[in-house]
Amino acid sequence: MVSRVIPVDPFDLVIFGGTGDLARRKILPGLFRRYCAGQMPPEARIIGAARAEMDDDGYREMVGEAIGEFGGTSDIDAGKLTSFLENLSYVAIDAKGENGWRELADQMRRKVVRAFYFSVGPSLFGDLAERLNNHGLTDEHSRIVVEKPFGRDLETARQLNRDLAAFFDEGQIYRIDHYLGKETVQNLMAVRFGNMLFEPLWNSQFVDHIQITVAETVGVGGRGEYYDKSGAMRDMVQNHLMQLLCLIAMEPPARFDPDAVRDEKLKVIRALEDVEPHHIVRGQYDADPDDPEDLPDYRTAVENPKSKTESFIAMKTHIANWRWAGTPFYLRTGKRLVARSSEISIVFKDTPHSIFGEEAGRHRNVLSIRLQPNEGIKLGVTIKEPGPGGMRLMDVPLDMTFADALGPEGAENVDAYERLIMDVIRGNQTLFMRGDEVEAAWAWTDPIIEGWTKRGDVPKPYDSHSAGPDASAQLMRRDDREWREVTP
């Protein structure tokens, strides 16, 4: 199976922060892969913009090295790399001053899509938007891309929205969450709304509970100062897990277009109930004495021996609407866990009556949507255990791991940033967050953070390379449920 590649229109893409880590690791290698795939037209131009003094040749050399290091393959076509790099240029620019803006304006072309990627800290969003406007670099068709964190609470998110809205319409603002660019996340909508098999069962009458897990094996690494001011709740739950929850729980939109989809996601966020304190578990990872790399514990890594910031959080929440009334959603994310895994599990209810007796055991259908690694979808089905000796039941998976079901081309790992940047050029906002959606997510998140801050709650320690604090397992066992195993 070979995927169809549809080229986008010619464009000028300016990457503010064009020498930064995100640009080097994700944005520029992703654009090169789209160029090799034939989706990025030869007429496209990429302009790096940052504070560092550098000429075009120096920037091309830096980008070439980044593609060699982070391009995802050792087999790079030298000819294509050379032609791709010829499409690059660089401008040294002052985001808060006037230096470089005239030079940038001179490089921009007319009658092509103009996109501006703000791969910088949120504190510069307003300054960049203002200077783009003041120097006449944008028109009604221009687009800006902004990275998370989009605020650290409701008030700062509102202020960022106001800063951008002063110069751009909502339809020009693309708030990027790379989780929404993952193939399996988009397949979630196809599974739900493209198959009659699932949608009639997608409600509290048939679903016992839903688990969303995003587990990481890495610690905070070099992000210690940032992470200790944010924690797992702000860094992961408020955006990534919230988006996954919305796609699982939302009503079918009237049509597959940006505002119809985002309207339904917004309804889910606004229907989320408050989370009770005893339905929250927070943790910090300890050092692992058996770790050959001798990596430090959380507090040492962030250089704050009194830190109360969580590197792990698990919680139970409900959605107050007719579809999901009474069905709990369990969210879990953490660093330095036993395996790297992102998975959504829809656990269906037991059959109302088992004709096979207690000796057959308890069996449930589970639809497991795996985002990483080994993207794919599995449906657990109960069958008879082979062999004589009576009716014994067992669970087996109907497995659609992409690598097996679709062949090597279908399993090709197109990075989320590649897909999302191409959507920006197309003008498709379906997979991007809207301003009111971001604010609604913070309106739900803020009281939770405020609650544990007022109570003075301290995160519970947990062993590195474990499944998190023991209290997380107890959170489920109180409801006579178990977390799904975190597996690589």
Side-chain angles (χ1 to χ4, degrees), residues 175-187 189 240 243-244 247 265 371 375 402 412-421 423 430-432:
R175 298 170 187 83
I176 193 167
D177 183 339
H178 71 273
Y179 259 63
L180 294 184
K182 292 181 181 294
E183 186 70 32
T184 323
V185 173
Q186 295 173 73
N187 244 314
M189 288 189 282
H240 296 331
Q243 290 298 310
L244 298 179
L247 292 177
K265 288 162 60 183
L371 312 180
E375 294 185 351
F402 289 173
E412 181 184 355
N413 186 19
V414 177
D415 187 82
Y417 280 95
E418 299 176 46
R419 176 177 291 106
L420 293 174
I421 293 172
D423 279 354
T430 305
L431 300 176
F432 297 82

Side-chain angles (χ1 to χ4, degrees), residues 65 81 124 186 312 325 357 366 376:
E65 292 173 353
L81 179 59
L124 296 177
Q186 295 173 73
F312 173 97
V366 178

Side-chain angles (χ1 to χ4, degrees), residues 393-405:
L393 303 183
M394 64 181 293
D395 294 328
V396 297
L398 297 178
D399 189 346
M400 200 199 79
T401 301
F402 289 173
D404 297 333

